[in-house]
C-alpha cells in the first residue's frame, strides 16, 4: 500500500484485511524490490480462468472501533485519511483503477487510471467520516493464443472498488451451502443483498446497485464482510506482447508532445548558449590569439603595447588547485556516476529495464555503479598524479569510500525511520549485507584496479609551464564572485531539464510510470552540453580577469545545477501534501543524495570541459 501523503509504503497485511487460510506467502523478490519497498504476497481472492464470479465472500474481519471525538481511530481509518492505495497484481499486471461517478445522463461517468492502484476507501464530504471499499469488481481481459485456441493469456487487469454495507447473519442458509460447493464457501447470509449478491444472481455489481435508494456505505470500523466479483472480457485485438503499453503511457495521460516541447525548450537554451559562445568566445579568442602571437613575433611593437587579458596567467593557469586530493576524488566519483547513468538510460531505452521486470532498474543502477568503479579510480589517479599528489592511497580510498559511505549512512538513517513507521520500505538485514558486499566486494576493488592503471599513465601534458611563484590575483568585480556565478551557472542547465525532471520525480514519489528513456537520453545529453558550455564561458571570463583559480570554480559552476534541482524539490514537495516528520526526513534525505550525485557528476563535466578548453587556447599562442 502506498500514499503520496506519507511516502511510507505499508505491508498489505499491516491492516486487518482478509488473509489466506494458511497465511500469506511472499514471492521471491530481488534487491531492487526490497529497496523500492515492494512486497508481493499471496491473497485469499481466488480466480478461475474465464469463470464469472458474483459477490463471492472472502472473510468477515473486525476493523476496530468507530470514529468518535477524543478517541484514537483505528488503523484502517488512519490509512484511509492518509489516502493509502492498494496495489494488486494479476499475472504480473498492476491493477488499473476504474472510477464511476454521477452524471447528468442515464449512465454514470466512467474513468480508468492505469497508475497509483486503487484507494482503500474515502472520506465522505457530507459527514466527514471514513468509509472502506469492501467490495471490488475484478475485470480481467484475456487474449486467446493464436496457435492454441484452448490457451488464454491475461492482457489487462482493472479493479472497480465499492463501499457496500452488508447486513449479514453468520448463519448460512441451505441454499447458500449448495452454492458454496461450486464456488468459495459462504461465510454469512446477507439480509439486504444488492442484486448481484442475491441467490443465484448472474449480474455483476454496478454503480447503480450500490447507489440505489436505501443503500448504505460501509464505515471503516466494526465487523465488515469483504466480497468481490470477477468479470472476464475477451479482447482479441490486444496481443499479449503489447499488454504493458497502456500502463507505460498511462493511457496517454501525459501526451508525447509535452516531452517534445521539453526537448525544444532545452534545444533553445543550448542554441542561445552556443550563440553566446560563438559571439563572445570565438570572436574574442581569435582576436586575442592573433594579437598575442603578433606581439610575440613583432619585437618592434613589443615596447609600445602592453599585454592584458588571459595570456597574463599562462604561467599559473595549470597550477594545481587547493585540496587536490578531494577534487580528484570528486571528479572520479562524478565520472563513475556519469558512466553509470549513461549505461542505465541506454539499457532502459533498449527495453531491458521494463517496469514488468520489477526492481531491475534499481539493481542495474547498483551493479553499473559498482562496475564503473574502474572509471572512477582511473580518473582520480590521472588527475591526482597530474596535481603531483603523493598520497595516492588516500585519494583512491576517498573515491571508493567517501560518496558511497555518505549514501550508505543516509540510507541506514532512512531505514531506521522506515522501521519506526512499520513501513515496507525498511530493508531486511540480509539485503543490507548484499549492499555491503557490492560496495566492498565489487566496487572498492574495481576502484583500486582503475587507480592502478591510472597511476601507470603519464601525467596530463600541458602546453605551458607553471612558474614556481604564484601570480597575485587582482580584485575581482562583483559579477565574478562565487554567489553570482553559481546562480547563473546553474539556472540555464536547470532550465533545459526541469520539465523532464517533473515527470521523473512523479514516477518516484507519486507512483507514476516513467518509460520515455529515449527522451530522457536526449535531455541528459543536452544537460551535459549546457553545463559544459556555461562552464567554459565563465572560465574564459575568469581568466580574462586574471584569476587562475578555475579548477574548483568550474567544478562548482557546473555542479550548481544540483542546487536548483534541490530547490525545485522543495517546491515539488508541496504537491505531495505530506506532513509527518518521517515524510520530511525520507523525502529530503533521498532528494539531497540525488542532488549531491548530480552535483559531482556535472562538476566533473565542467572541470573536464574547462581543462580541455584551457589546453586548446593556451596551446594556440606563443609564449616567450
Amino acid at each position: 500500500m502506498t500514499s503520496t501523503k506519507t511516502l511510507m509504503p505499508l505491508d498489505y497485511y499491516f491492516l486487518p484485511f482478509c488473509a489466506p487460510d494458511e497465511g500469506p506467502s511472499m514471492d521471491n523478490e530481488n534487491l531492487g524490490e526490497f529497496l523500492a519497498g515492494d512486497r508481493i504476497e499471496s491473497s485469499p481472492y481466488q480466480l478461475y480462468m474465464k469463470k464469472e464470479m458474483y459477490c463471492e465472500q472472502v472473510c468477515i474481519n473486525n476493523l476496530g472501533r468507530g470514529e468518535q471525538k477524543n478517541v484514537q481511530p483505528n488503523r484502517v481509518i488512519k490509512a484511509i485519511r492518509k489516502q493509502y492505495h492498494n496495489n494488486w497484481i494479476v499475472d504480473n499486471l498492476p491493477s488499473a483503477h476504474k472510477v464511476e461517478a454521477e452524471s447528468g445522463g442515464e449512465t454514470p461517468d466512467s474513468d480508468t487510471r492505469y497508475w497509483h492502484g486503487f484507494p482503500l476507501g474515502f472520506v465522505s464530504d457530507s459527514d466527514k467520516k471514513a468509509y472502506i471499499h469492501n467490495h471490488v469488481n475484478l475485470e480481467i481481459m484475456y487474449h486467446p493464443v493464436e496457435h492454441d485456441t484452448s490457451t488464454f493469456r491475461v492482457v489487462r487487469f482493472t479493479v472497480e472498488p465499492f463501499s457496500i454495507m452488508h447486513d449479514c447473519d453468520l448463519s448460512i442458509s441451505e441454499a447458500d451451502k449448495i452454492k458454496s460447493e461450486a464456488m468459495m464457501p459462504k461465510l454469512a447470509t446477507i439480509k439486504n443483498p444488492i442484486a448481484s449478491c442475491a441467490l443465484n444472481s448472474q449480474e455483476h455489481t454496478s454503480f447503480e446497485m450500490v447507489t440505489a435508494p436505501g443503500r448504505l456505505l460501509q464505515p471503516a470500523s466494526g465487523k465488515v464482510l469483504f466480497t468481490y466479483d470477477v468479470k472476464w472480457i475477451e479482447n482479441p485485438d490486444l496481443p499479449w506482447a503489447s499488454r504493458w503499453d497502456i500502463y507505460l503511457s498511462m493511457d496517454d495521460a501525459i501526451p508525447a508532445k509535452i516531452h517534445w516541447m521539453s526537448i525544444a525548450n532545452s534545444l533553445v537554451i543550448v542554441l542561445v548558449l552556443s550563440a553566446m559562445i560563438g559571439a563572445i568566445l570565438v570572436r574574442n579568442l581569435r582576436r586575442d590569439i592573433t594579437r598575442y602571437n603578433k606581439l610575440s613575433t613583432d619585437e618592434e611593437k613589443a615596447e609600445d603595447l602592453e599585454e592584458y587579458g588571459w595570456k597574463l596567467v599562462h604561467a599559473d593557469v595549470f597550477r594545481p588547485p587547493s585540496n587536490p586530493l578531494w577534487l580528484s576524488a570528486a571528479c572520479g566519483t562524478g565520472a563513475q556516476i556519469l558512466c553509470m547513468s549513461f549505461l542505465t538510460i541506454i539499457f532502459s531505452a533498449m527495453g531491458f529495464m521494463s517496469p514488468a521486470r520489477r526492481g531491475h532498474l534499481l539493481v542495474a543502477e547498483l551493479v553499473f555503479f559498482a562496475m564503473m568503479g574502474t572509471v572512477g579510480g582511473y580518473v582520480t589517479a590521472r588527475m591526482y598524479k597530474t596535481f603531483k599528489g603523493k598520497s595516492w592511497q588516500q585519494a583512491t580510498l576517498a573515491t571508493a569510500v567517501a560518496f558511497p559511505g555518505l549514501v550508505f549512512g543516509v540510507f541506514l538513517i532512512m531505514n531506521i525511520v522506515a522501521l519506526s513507521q512499520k513501513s515496507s520500505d525498511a530493508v531486511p538485514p540480509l539485503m543490507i549485507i548484499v549492499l555491503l558486499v557490492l560496495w566492498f566486494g565489487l566496487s572498492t576493488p574495481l576502484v583500486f584496479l582503475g587507480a592502478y592503471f591510472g597511476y601507470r599513465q603519464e601525467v596530463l601534458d600541458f602546453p605551458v609551464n607553471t612558474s614556481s611563484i604564484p601570480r597575485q590575483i587582482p580584485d575581482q568585480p562583483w559579477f565574478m564572485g562565487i554567489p553570482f556565478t553559481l546562480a547563473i551557472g546553474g539556472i540555464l542547465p536547470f532550465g533545459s531539464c526541469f520539465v523532464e525532471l517533473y515527470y521523473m520525480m512523479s514516477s518516484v514519489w507519486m507512483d507514476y510510470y516513467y518509460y520515455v528513456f529515449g527522451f530522457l537520453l536526449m535531455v541528459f545529453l543536452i544537460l551535459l552540453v549546457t553545463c559544459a558550455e556555461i562552464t567554459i564561458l565563465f572560465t574564459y571570463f575568469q581568466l580574462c580577469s586574471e584569476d587562475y583559480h578555475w579548477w574548483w570554480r568550474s567544478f562548482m559552476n557546473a555542479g550548481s545545477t544540483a542546487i536548483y534541482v534541490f530547490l525545485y524539490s522543495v517546491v515539488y514537495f508541496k504537491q505531495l501534501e505530506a506532513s509527518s516528520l518521517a515524510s520530511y526526513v525520507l523525502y529530503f534525505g533521498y532528494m539531497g543524495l540525488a542532488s549531491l550525485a548530480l552535483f559531482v557528476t556535472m562538476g566533473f563535466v565542467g572541470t573536464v570541459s574547462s581543462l580541455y578548453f584551457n589546453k586548446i587556447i593556451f596551446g594556440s599562442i606563443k609564449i616567450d
Side-chain angles (χ1 to χ4, degrees):
M1 298 183 294
T2 55
S3 169
T4 57
K5 294 194 69 173
T6 67
L7 308 181
M8 290 286 183
L10 294 176
D11 187 278
Y12 179 77
Y13 294 108
F14 175 74
L15 300 181
F17 290 147
C18 304
D21 294 336
E22 65 279 4
S25 59
M26 184 175 292
D27 193 17
N28 293 325
E29 298 182 326
N30 57 47
L31 176 61
E33 289 177 293
F34 279 106
L35 293 176
D38 294 339
R39 302 291 185 273
I40 301 178
E41 297 175 296
S42 61
S43 79
Y45 293 83
Q46 298 182 14
L47 283 70
Y48 302 92
M49 192 68 196
K50 295 182 63 179
K51 192 169 188 178
E52 303 286 319
M53 303 176 75
Y54 306 92
C55 197
E56 292 297 320
Q57 299 178 10
V58 186
C59 75
I60 300 176
N61 274 4
N62 192 339
L63 304 187
R65 66 171 69 94
E67 295 186 84
Q68 301 176 15
K69 290 185 178 180
N70 301 323
V71 176
Q72 186 79 0
N74 63 56
R75 289 181 178 180
V76 179
I77 293 174
K78 288 181 180 179
I80 292 174
R81 292 191 176 276
K82 292 177 180 177
Q83 299 179 9
Y84 270 93
H85 284 62
N86 281 319
N87 296 277
W88 290 5
I89 60 174
V90 168
D91 192 31
N92 202 37
L93 272 182
S95 61
H97 172 210
K98 186 175 182 180
V99 182
E100 291 187 342
E102 294 284 359
S103 66
E106 297 181 358
T107 59
D109 290 331
S110 179
D111 181 34
T112 303
R113 298 176 182 176
Y114 291 88
W115 66 95
H116 206 46
F118 65 94
L120 294 180
F122 62 94
V123 177
S124 174
D125 294 331
S126 57
D127 58 8
K128 305 300 181 184
K129 290 188 176 181
Y131 294 90
I132 189 171
H133 288 140
N134 62 320
H135 180 92
V136 289
N137 279 358
L138 307 180
E139 297 183 5
I140 303 176
M141 285 188 183
Y142 62 95
H143 178 86
V145 177
E146 295 182 2
H147 304 293
D148 187 359
T149 56
S150 62
T151 305
F152 306 93
R153 288 173 171 171
V154 175
V155 293
R156 190 163 298 167
F157 172 42
T158 306
V159 176
E160 183 178 13
F162 294 109
S163 179
I164 307 172
M165 177 180 281
H166 294 298
D167 184 9
C168 54
D169 187 356
L170 295 181
S171 61
I172 304 175
S173 65
E174 292 298 325
D176 282 339
K177 289 181 180 179
I178 296 174
K179 186 178 180 181
S180 68
E181 294 176 358
M183 307 296 285
M184 292 185 65
K186 292 295 181 181
L187 305 173
T189 301
I190 301 177
K191 299 179 181 179
N192 60 337
I194 59 177
S196 60
C197 295
L199 183 63
N200 297 325
S201 172
Q202 297 294 312
E203 189 175 2
H204 288 292
T205 303
S206 65
F207 181 78
E208 292 80 0
M209 296 180 189
V210 177
T211 57
R215 302 304 313 182
L216 299 177
L217 303 174
Q218 176 60 58
S221 59
K223 291 186 177 181
V224 177
L225 174 62
F226 290 86
T227 55
Y228 70 102
D229 284 20
V230 180
K231 183 178 182 181
W232 294 89
I233 303 173
E234 183 176 357
N235 189 342
D237 300 325
L238 179 60
W240 186 83
S242 304
R243 64 177 190 162
W244 268 92
D245 291 356
I246 196 168
Y247 293 91
L248 300 180
S249 66
M250 294 192 298
D251 199 18
D252 295 327
I254 303 175
K257 67 179 182 180
I258 294 181
H259 297 285
W260 283 115
M261 290 176 62
S262 171
I263 298 293
N265 168 71
S266 304
L267 287 175
V268 168
I269 294 177
V270 170
L271 291 176
V272 170
L273 273 178
S274 301
M276 290 177 61
I277 289 180
I280 298 175
L281 291 186
V282 176
R283 185 181 63 182
N284 290 359
L285 280 173
R286 183 178 300 168
R287 182 190 62 197
D288 292 344
I289 292 172
T290 302
R291 177 170 58 89
Y292 291 151
N293 289 337
K294 183 177 181 181
L295 287 174
S296 62
T297 57
D298 193 352
E299 297 178 357
E300 296 179 354
K301 297 182 179 180
E303 297 178 357
D304 300 329
L305 298 177
E306 181 183 356
E307 286 189 357
Y308 62 89
W310 49 268
K311 183 183 178 183
L312 295 178
V313 298
H314 66 85
D316 298 275
V317 66
F318 295 111
R319 188 177 300 280
S322 58
N323 298 316
L325 186 150
W326 286 109
L327 179 61
S328 303
C331 287
T333 301
Q336 186 176 356
I337 298 175
L338 179 63
C339 293
M340 178 270 289
S341 302
F342 261 121
L343 288 174
T344 303
I345 295 174
I346 291 173
F347 275 90
S348 298
M350 294 171 62
F352 291 101
M353 310 300 172
S354 168
R357 299 181 174 93
R358 304 177 190 278
H360 282 205
L361 183 61
L362 278 175
V363 172
E365 290 177 351
L366 291 172
V367 173
F368 285 148
F369 179 82
M371 293 176 62
M372 292 302 103
T374 52
V375 177
Y378 182 84
V379 171
T380 299
R382 288 296 306 274
M383 292 190 67
Y384 193 59
K385 186 176 182 180
T386 301
F387 295 150
K388 300 178 181 178
K390 303 300 181 182
S391 305
W392 66 270
Q393 298 95 336
Q394 288 87 334
T396 308
L397 187 63
T399 306
V401 172
F403 180 77
L406 178 62
V407 172
F408 189 74
V410 174
F411 166 73
L412 287 181
I413 295 174
M414 299 296 104
N415 206 50
I416 293 173
V417 172
L419 283 171
S420 67
Q421 299 296 312
K422 298 181 174 60
S423 170
S424 61
D425 248 349
V427 179
L430 181 60
M431 293 297 107
I432 295 179
I433 294 175
V434 173
L435 290 175
L436 290 174
V437 171
L438 274 176
W439 179 10
F440 292 108
L442 181 61
S443 178
T444 300
L446 289 178
V447 169
F448 276 86
L449 178 64
Y452 170 77
F453 287 105
Y455 284 115
R456 289 174 61 90
Q457 300 294 318
E458 296 295 330
V459 298
L460 296 177
D461 184 30
F462 296 138
V464 293
N465 297 322
T466 301
S467 65
S468 58
I469 301 175
R471 177 186 177 88
Q472 185 176 1
I473 299 175
D475 294 335
Q476 299 295 305
W478 65 271
F479 53 83
M480 290 307 297
I482 292 178
F484 183 81
T485 58
L486 291 184
I488 302 300
I491 193 169
L492 290 177
F494 172 76
S496 68
C497 69
F498 80 96
V499 175
E500 212 64 29
L501 177 65
Y502 170 81
Y503 294 112
M504 291 180 61
M505 294 180 65
S506 297
S507 71
V508 174
W509 299 112
M510 300 187 71
D511 297 324
Y512 288 3
Y513 288 107
Y514 186 89
Y515 200 60
V516 285
F517 290 102
F519 287 108
L520 179 60
L521 180 60
M522 288 188 284
V523 171
F524 189 58
L525 292 174
I526 291 173
L527 174 63
L528 296 179
V529 173
T530 309
C531 284
E533 290 182 344
I534 196 69
T535 307
I536 290 173
L537 196 62
F538 276 121
T539 300
Y540 174 74
F541 291 152
Q542 185 178 350
L543 295 178
C544 288
S545 300
E546 301 178 27
D547 182 1
Y548 52 84
H549 291 159
W550 60 271
W551 289 101
W552 277 109
R553 286 288 291 275
S554 62
F555 186 90
M556 292 188 294
N557 286 340
S560 61
T561 306
I563 299 176
Y564 283 92
V565 170
F566 187 78
L567 293 177
Y568 178 75
S569 71
V570 176
V571 177
Y572 183 87
F573 185 71
K574 297 179 181 178
Q575 299 184 23
L576 303 178
E577 301 179 0
S579 57
S580 66
L581 177 61
S583 301
Y584 277 84
V585 173
L586 180 75
Y587 179 84
F588 288 107
Y590 283 127
M591 286 308 303
L593 289 179
S595 301
L596 177 61
L598 181 64
F599 187 90
V600 296
T601 304
M602 296 300 108
F604 165 73
V605 173
T607 303
V608 172
S609 302
S610 295
L611 173 61
Y612 281 95
F613 170 74
N614 290 338
K615 289 180 66 175
I616 290 173
I617 64 173
F618 282 94
S620 303
I621 61 175
K622 297 178 180 179
I623 305 298
D624 295 334

